Structures are given as C-alpha cells and as structure tokens.
Amino acid sequence: MLPDDTLANVLYVDLSKKHFRIDKRQDLFDKYIGGAGVAIQLLREECPEGIDPFDPENPIVFAVGPLTALFPLASKTVAMFKSPHTGNLGESHCGGRSAVAIRMAGYGAIVIKGASDIPLYLAIHKDQIHFRDASSLWGIGNSFTVGRIIRENEPEPGLRTIMRIGRAGEQLVSYSCVVTETYRHFGRLGLGAVFGSKKLKAVMVSGKRSLPVSDKKEYKKVYHEIYQEAVSSPVMKKYQDLGTAENVVPLNKFGGLPTKNLKEARFDGASEISGETFAEQYLGRRLACSHCPVACIHIAALREPYEKAYFYKTSMISYDYEPIYALCSMLGGSDAAAFLKLMDRIEALGLDVMSTGVVLAWATEAQERGVISEKETMGIKLGWGDYTAYMKAVRLIVEQPNKFYKALARGVDRAASLYGGDDYALAFGGNEMPGYHTGPGAHIGVLIGSRHSHLDNAGYSVDQKVLAKKQVSPEELAEALLSEERWRQILSSLVVCFFARGIYKPDAVSKTLRLAGFDIAPEDLLSIGEEIHKEKYRFKTREGFSLDKLRLPKRIFETLSPTGKLDEKFIRKTIEYVKEEMSRSPGRH
Amino acid sequence: MKLSVVDTERCVGCQSCMFACARHHGEAGLSGTCIGVGSIGGMERGFKVIVCRACVDSPCVKICPTDALKPRKGGGVRFNTTKCIGCGYCQDACPIGCVFWNDETNKPIICAHCGYCAKFCPHGVLTLEKKKKRKEAGHATR
C-alpha cells in the first residue's frame, strides 16, 4: 500500500473504559488487502477462544478496503464478530454510506470492544471520537426514529453513516441486524444483538479527505473504464431495472422458489409478488450506496388509509428478492401491500428479515401440525398468508413474553430443539435458509459457506447454470463451490459489491489495486483468497465448527428441486470432499 | 458555460459527481470536491444537489478581503489561490452553501463550471448549459 494512506489506521475503541487509540496496521493490509482479509485477522487477535458472544470481550470489527472511495462499487463494509446466532464466526456485509464514511474518516478498520454501563452511541468524526449518552434513545420502538434523531444531532450530512439497532438488538434477538441509512443492513448473524449486549445503540462515522494514488493520470483513465462498465455493462442491468426482485418469476418457473416452509418449490401467487408487480405498482424511488452509480436499492411507496377518513399515510419501504421470498412465498402470502407493511415493521424492530420469515414459516407449520398450540403463541393463530397474525407475532418475538417466543428469538434450530419439528426447521449451519431450493448446490453452499450465506459461494447459481443441464460429480461440485468462495474472499477484502463481480475480474482487480500501491499479479490473487478462506475456517474450527456435525433438514429431500429429488448420499459425499480439500493444502499459519 | 441541476428527482444519491469533481482537481477522495449530495431529511425523501449557480453579483466575491475571488465573465467567480488567506468569509457569505472548504489546504474550492461532474452523473441530474440558454430562476440547488 502507499505509505501515506490512512487505510493502515485501525481505530480501537473500548466501551468499558470509554477510551480509544489508533494503531498503524500496515502489516495486515499489505498481506490481506482489507475488508474480510483484514477483519478475520483482527477477529483472531481480539476474540478470546470460546467466549460467550455476549461477553464484553467479543469484538466488533469493521473493515473497508484500498479501493473504497477510490473506485466505484467498492462500497461495502465487512463486519466480523462472534455470532450469537450460531455461536461461531459472524460475518456480515453492508453498503449504504458506511464504507466511504469509514475510509474518509481516515480508517481502514474499527475494532469495538468492552461494554458500556449506560446506553451510548459512538460519534466518530475523523480523529474526534465522542461517546454520547444514548439513554434517551434506548427503548425507542422504531429504528427509523433513532436514525432521524442522530441525523439531526450530528454534523456532516451526506458524508456520514449512521449504523443503529432497533428494539430487536436491545432485546438480544440472536438474528437482529444493524441498520444503516434506513435501508441497508448488516444482516443475518446477529450483529445487532452484539451491539445490544454492549449497550451500543449506534455508531456514526463521518469524514472527508483526499487519498493518495500511485499515478494520477493513469488513475483517471482506469476510473473511467470501470465507471463506463458499471453504467453500461449488461451484467449490471438487472440490478438497475427491477433489482434483485427480478428473480421471483424465473425462480418460480424453474421450480426453486421455497414456498410454505418449503412444502413446495413453486408458488401460485408468484406473479403478484414479482419484481414486475412491485415496479409497476409500488416503486417509489431508487437509491444508491455511496460511490455506486448502479442504484440497485428499490424503495416501494405504500399509500394506505390511516385511522380516520381522509387521513392517509405513505411509507417508503425497501424490497429485494430475499425479503419477498422470506415473507411472501415462504409464508404462503401474495398480498404485496400486506407484505410491505410486515417488512416495514421488521425494519422498525431491526430484525433480520430472512431469518424472521423462516422462523415464522416453521411456527406456522408447527401449529398446523399441532406441535405447538395457541397456548404457546399466546392466542395467535398462525396461518399461511395471514399477515395480521404475522404482524402480531414479530412484535412478540422481539418482546419475548414467554418461553416460546424466547425460543423463536433464537432461531428455528433452538425452537425445534425445544418443541420438535426439526425435520422442517430450515436452518443450515445454524442460519435460516435463503430463498433457493434450486438443487444440491444451494444447500451445500450454505452449509459449507464460512458464514452460511447463499452469497458465500453462490451454490444456487451452480444449480441453475450447471446442474440443471448436466450431472456433475461430488468432487466437481465441491471444487466449483470452493473456488467461487475463495475468489469472493478477494472481492470482500476489496469490499467490492458482489453485484459487480462481472466487472472486477482478476485483471481489473490487479490494475485498480496497483493504483492504490498494491502490486499483486492477477494469478496471485487466488492464493491470497484461498489463504483468507482458510483463516476463516481456522477460526470456525477453533470455535467448535465441524463439517461432520452438519444437520440436513429432512424437508429438502421431500420437496422436489428443479434438478430432481435431492440425494443425501451425494450431499454428504460433497461435504466429505470439501473437508478433505480444506485439510489438505497447508496454507500459511 | 454553466453547470446546472436539471432535475434532482432523478438523483439516486450515488455521489459519483462528488468524486468526479475531486478527480478533476487532481485528487482522489473527497477533499477536493465542490459539489455536495445529501438527503433532504432521510433518503426516502430524495436528495439535494448543492452546486454553485454562478450568480450575478456574487456575495462571495463581494466579501472577499483579498480579491482572491473575482467575478467571472458570464456569472460565477474565479479563484486565485495565491491571494487567498483562508479567512472563510466567502463560505459564510454563500446562503446556499456552494463554497466548499478543503480542510487540508484550508482554502475554499470554487466551482469552475467545467462540467466534468456531469459526465459522471448516471441519471442526467447535471448538465453543462451553453451561456445563451441560461435560465435565471429555477432549481439550481434543489
């Protein structure tokens, strides 16, 4: 990296002592680039082995990369922590203004440890760090309101990120998220609850600075090339037009859209919840993350009568493919307006929408089968597509008034361990399933993925592009998933959005990195990716993860996938091969 | 030539224009930018685009104690950095916040209406207008 680049600065904050320091960690960035590569090193350094995720010593690590604020689309912040949801590696990526704000404040990474005695929020304005009393913000029912208050209290509009939690994070729901800029999230593995356990209501970061480049003339030229691709390349078009919601119709046609807790993989109501329907009837605005000309964020405008005659309320609600899957097809609901209202409430509470949808789907089936009754649900009759019931249930998941809702607040694995029904408890590696029943690739991908996310290695894409056309061996499938996941370590260390993976190919990565002072040949990138992937697995293994212990919910074998009936032996064999492969190559330690 | 904000309703808040402006000033990052994009009270409400509207009889010129800012032919101002003492009066004088400040040089950054930012606006929010077509009123900043 370039010697005067502030990327090397790591801000360490101690919430217990209300103290901070800034260290130069060029060693980490030189070796691991940034983002996920640096974050896993900081996590390994800072997280004591075997600690409870709610222990004050559990660190929250945020990291950005050398291309952030230098080139378009390097707009993600990688968060790492020990996850209260899986008890293992927590990794979550978020856009909005977070990455550019952290880089412009003069940091490559931020590490937050300790726990405060009173609720507080951190205000990081370049090298001015303020511990602000957030006692008056604690307990506010709506995360939008918290964002608005901090927005009005702090300077630098347009140049800042405000990462905050809702009630779900305060109440330690193990899949609560951190919301930034109202519509983007550190979702999935419960970063919100780690914030909550530290009495940390929000982290706001702002800054503005110039960055060094190795060759100014070449920089302008290469920037222009990347920008042109971002705005004109066909690989970016789908994100611009309908957004990720575009997937609803093709996935349904393909027969891979999980429906009613995956009792089915096709949904009758798909056309009512399609990307086309939302665009035509509800799309109210499109937004972009900082330094991304694509603007994939789709916001629906929902106008509804409110309380009395001639009173109306218009809510602006973000939608994407995954929330539509989790709250519509998975719950057997096709009422788009009711979905938006439920989505709005989940955002206000600060829950991860995918896990929430899968938890509700499990509960609905469990009640249908008589495994649980209205005694547990406190009088709520959960039924497929009954959004009125779901609206009530999500509030109770956050407030946790009884043992049942306490269990739901820990995810389907916990709920099924207490009440039964693990055959249809759809979690993989402890994380609730994403919206793909496309074939074995999707499920294996999530099982072996280092953060148990469909984005780890895009197994759903292997199903659709390869397995739908020809048979492959377990070895070939394992190889395809592993090599994708290794490459994605590079993207998430650059913090380039995965949607831009078609633009940031090895040559482009090497070329842009050179301007940031990193001299890495395209062919060397892959081995760095492999090493980062191994480092994550080392952390996972240290914390008790084993590829031998993975639970496969029976349901995935009962419901036909587009590639046919799934074969457990094939899946186990593939996982076995992944295991061999992970233990074979020595890597650097 | 004058830079003009055509329609903020098309703005998605990507801030590509801000980065473009800094690059044109020979810098990466955001210190060297004199265009600002921010939400108008939450992203759901949309964005404001703050950029010099090349006003006639500019307040920033009138208040500059060292003649570092001079009227530019056809509206707007020219900035002579060697004369500037970094007093910041110009920034206070502009009611629409178009005098941006570079904390690293402690001097203002003044829009030269070059139109480089408009080339990097993916949705046609900005345009470089020919002098003759100039509209006096309108939505220069919002």
Side-chain angles (χ1 to χ4, degrees):
Chain A
M1 65 185 295
L2 295 167
D4 45 349
D5 193 340
T6 51
L7 183 71
N9 291 348
V10 176
L11 171 66
Y12 292 84
V13 179
D14 184 332
L15 296 173
S16 302
K17 296 182 188 148
K18 322 279 186 296
H19 172 272
F20 70 92
R21 69 171 204 276
I22 298 162
D23 285 357
K24 287 266 176 213
R25 295 303 305 269
Q26 193 174 334
D27 56 323
L28 294 183
F29 288 90
D30 275 341
K31 195 167 170 189
Y32 297 106
I33 301 170
V38 166
I40 186 64
Q41 295 305 321
L42 289 168
L43 186 70
R44 279 164 54 100
E45 285 176 12
E46 297 292 331
C47 182
E49 188 171 337
I51 56 157
D52 186 295
F54 293 145
D55 189 295
E57 285 300 297
N58 186 12
I60 297 167
V61 180
F62 293 112
V64 299
L67 303 187
T68 304
L70 214 55
F71 286 99
L73 301 155
S75 303
K76 293 276 187 178
T77 302
V78 171
M80 281 202 200
F81 48 96
K82 187 166 178 182
S83 162
H85 196 51
T86 61
N88 209 300
L89 175 65
E91 178 183 349
S92 181
H93 303 178
C94 179
R97 302 225 180 284
S98 62
V100 168
I102 291 172
R103 184 94 160 96
M104 289 288 95
Y107 304 105
I110 299 173
V111 178
I112 301 170
K113 285 186 82 167
S116 176
D117 49 346
I118 57 158
L120 54 79
Y121 78 85
L122 275 178
I124 301 169
H125 297 289
K126 290 186 152 182
D127 54 359
Q128 300 291 307
I129 318 303
H130 304 275
F131 296 87
R132 308 246 206 246
D133 188 344
S135 304
S136 333
L137 303 181
W138 204 257
I140 288 178
N142 191 326
S143 70
F144 296 121
T145 313
V146 175
R148 184 179 56 71
I149 292 167
I150 297 176
R151 203 157 65 218
E152 288 169 8
N153 270 347
E154 298 289 340
E156 306 294 355
L159 297 170
R160 64 189 180 186
T161 185
I162 303 173
M163 317 172 184
R164 66 268 192 176
I165 59 168
R167 280 290 290 156
E170 293 178 8
Q171 292 282 89
L172 308 180
V173 176
S174 66
Y175 46 92
S176 51
C177 58
V178 172
V179 183
T180 74
E181 287 66 84
T182 314
Y183 298 116
R184 298 291 92 184
H185 316 83
F186 289 97
R188 309 306 336 248
L189 300 169
L191 181 60
V194 181
F195 265 53
S197 73
K198 296 183 177 309
K199 289 249 174 25
L200 180 61
K201 187 66 188 172
V203 176
M204 78 84 52
V205 187
S206 82
K208 187 175 176 182
R209 69 179 57 245
S210 55
L211 298 171
V213 287
S214 60
D215 178 341
K216 282 187 179 174
K217 208 173 145 205
E218 180 72 5
Y219 168 56
K220 273 176 105 167
K221 192 182 138 248
V222 175
Y223 188 104
H224 199 83
E225 288 167 20
I226 301 273
Y227 179 86
Q228 280 311 319
E229 277 218 67
V231 293
S232 59
S233 161
V235 297
M236 302 309 291
K237 197 169 160 27
K238 79 174 223 188
Y239 302 114
Q240 289 168 353
D241 293 350
L242 297 179
T244 57
E246 184 194 71
N247 288 338
V248 175
V249 168
L251 264 172
N252 188 53
K253 210 178 264 175
F254 190 55
L257 179 66
T259 300
K260 293 184 184 170
N261 204 33
L262 195 57
K263 289 206 267 190
E264 294 151 41
R266 277 206 174 85
F267 184 45
D268 292 342
S271 68
E272 292 152 64
I273 53 160
S274 68
E276 291 80 356
T277 300
F278 280 103
E280 281 158 23
Q281 296 180 19
Y282 294 100
L283 184 56
R285 191 174 285 286
R286 274 177 47 209
L287 302 174
C289 295
S290 285
H291 217 174
C292 169
V294 177
C296 77
I297 307 167
H298 285 57
I299 309 291
L302 177 67
R303 177 178 179 264
E304 51 182 329
Y306 196 64
E307 295 182 343
K308 307 188 263 201
Y310 298 110
F311 273 83
Y312 287 87
K313 153 181 166 180
T314 302
S315 312
M316 302 296 278
I317 305 151
S318 146
Y319 64 89
D320 262 300
Y321 169 69
E322 298 291 344
I324 294 172
Y325 135 73
L327 300 184
C328 294
S329 67
M330 196 61 166
L331 295 179
S334 57
D335 180 342
F339 150 72
L340 287 171
K341 278 203 257 188
L342 180 59
M343 180 74 206
D344 198 33
R345 175 159 297 178
I346 286 170
E347 293 268 48
L349 292 167
L351 288 162
D352 176 76
V353 60
M354 291 165 69
S355 287
T356 305
V358 175
V359 164
L360 291 172
W362 174 85
T364 306
E365 183 165 351
Q367 196 171 9
E368 189 178 65
R369 288 166 175 264
V371 171
I372 53 161
S373 69
E374 287 181 36
K375 190 174 139 269
E376 280 83 19
T377 62
M378 299 179 69
I380 298 175
K381 172 86 190 70
L382 298 165
W384 301 115
D386 182 353
Y387 285 102
T388 313
Y390 293 137
M391 287 288 273
K392 288 183 198 150
V394 290
R395 190 155 272 172
L396 294 173
I397 288 174
V398 171
E399 295 308 327
Q400 303 166 49
N402 67 7
K403 185 181 148 205
F404 175 69
Y405 285 106
K406 275 194 179 75
L408 291 191
R410 296 294 305 277
V412 283
D413 269 359
R414 168 62 67 91
S417 75
L418 294 181
Y419 295 92
D422 59 345
D423 290 353
Y424 51 91
L426 290 157
F428 296 81
N431 199 15
E432 283 70 22
M433 77 174 284
Y436 304 92
H437 186 57
T438 46
H443 299 304
I444 299 169
V446 175
L447 277 167
I448 66 159
S450 53
R451 53 190 176 128
H452 307 293
S453 157
H454 61 296
L455 295 168
D456 280 330
N457 44 42
Y460 60 93
S461 172
V462 180
D463 286 334
Q464 293 171 80
K465 287 181 184 150
V466 184
L467 288 166
K469 289 163 198 143
K470 60 166 189 175
Q471 286 241 310
V472 299
S473 68
E475 288 84 352
E476 286 170 310
L477 179 56
E479 268 309 322
L481 295 171
L482 282 171
S483 60
E484 182 65 23
E485 184 154 351
R486 287 165 182 155
W487 173 246
R488 287 186 179 214
Q489 302 313 309
I490 293 298
L491 294 177
S492 57
S493 297
L494 297 164
V495 301
V496 162
C497 178
F498 288 165
F499 292 173
R501 60 189 179 274
I503 295 172
Y504 282 93
K505 298 266 178 66
D507 283 339
V509 169
S510 185
K511 196 153 73 168
T512 47
L513 270 178
R514 196 167 307 129
L515 288 156
F518 288 77
D519 193 12
I520 309 173
E523 56 275 17
D524 293 338
L525 288 166
L526 290 168
S527 61
I528 299 174
E530 188 174 347
E531 173 63 13
I532 294 167
H533 184 229
K534 278 207 175 303
E535 288 288 88
K536 287 197 200 171
Y537 251 76
R538 281 184 195 118
F539 181 88
K540 286 176 78 75
T541 309
R542 189 191 91 176
E543 296 300 323
F545 176 78
S546 163
L547 285 164
D548 297 327
K549 288 194 279 187
L550 295 171
R551 183 180 75 84
L552 288 166
K554 280 220 175 71
R555 176 58 46 83
I556 64 167
F557 304 107
E558 295 162 358
T559 302
L560 216 57
S561 91
T563 57
K565 192 170 159 20
L566 297 188
D567 174 6
E568 182 161 359
K569 264 196 208 137
F570 178 89
I571 293 180
R572 294 281 179 202
K573 245 178 137 175
T574 310
I575 295 171
E576 197 52 41
Y577 188 81
V578 169
K579 201 179 130 195
E580 279 170 34
E581 184 61 21
M582 290 305 296
S583 56
R584 188 162 39 204
S585 37
R588 297 174 279 178
H589 194 47
Chain B
M1 304 288 262
K2 176 189 173 273
L3 183 68
S4 174
V5 179
V6 186
D7 184 0
T8 53
E9 288 301 329
R10 290 187 207 152
C11 180
V12 294
C14 73
Q15 303 184 324
S16 296
C17 54
M18 292 164 62
F19 287 98
C21 180
R23 276 198 312 288
H24 195 62
H25 287 113
E27 285 189 10
L30 287 173
S31 264
T33 192
C34 56
I35 182 165
V37 174
S39 81
I40 51 172
M43 293 213 181
E44 65 276 19
R45 309 263 307 272
F47 298 92
K48 60 189 171 195
V49 180
I50 302 170
V51 60
C52 174
R53 62 186 303 259
C55 51
V56 180
D57 201 16
S58 316
C60 57
V61 172
K62 285 189 277 188
I63 206 154
C64 177
T66 62
D67 285 341
L69 295 172
K70 286 259 182 81
R72 176 175 162 269
K73 261 187 198 162
V77 292
R78 275 187 300 118
F79 177 53
N80 183 343
T81 182
T82 55
K83 285 191 172 182
C84 175
I85 55 169
C87 67
Y89 292 173
C90 52
Q91 194 180 27
D92 297 339
C94 179
I96 41 184
C98 299
V99 175
F100 288 78
W101 202 260
N102 186 334
D103 292 329
E104 291 167 13
T105 57
N106 194 36
K107 289 190 179 179
I109 316 158
I110 303 291
C111 177
H113 294 269
C114 71
Y116 192 74
C117 56
K119 287 187 201 166
F120 289 88
C121 175
H123 300 289
V125 176
L126 298 160
T127 188
L128 195 64
E129 279 180 358
K130 293 260 159 53
K131 207 162 116 190
K132 291 270 150 66
K133 281 192 198 162
R134 269 189 62 182
K135 277 181 261 168
E136 223 17 81
H139 36 251
T141 60
R142 294 214 164 182

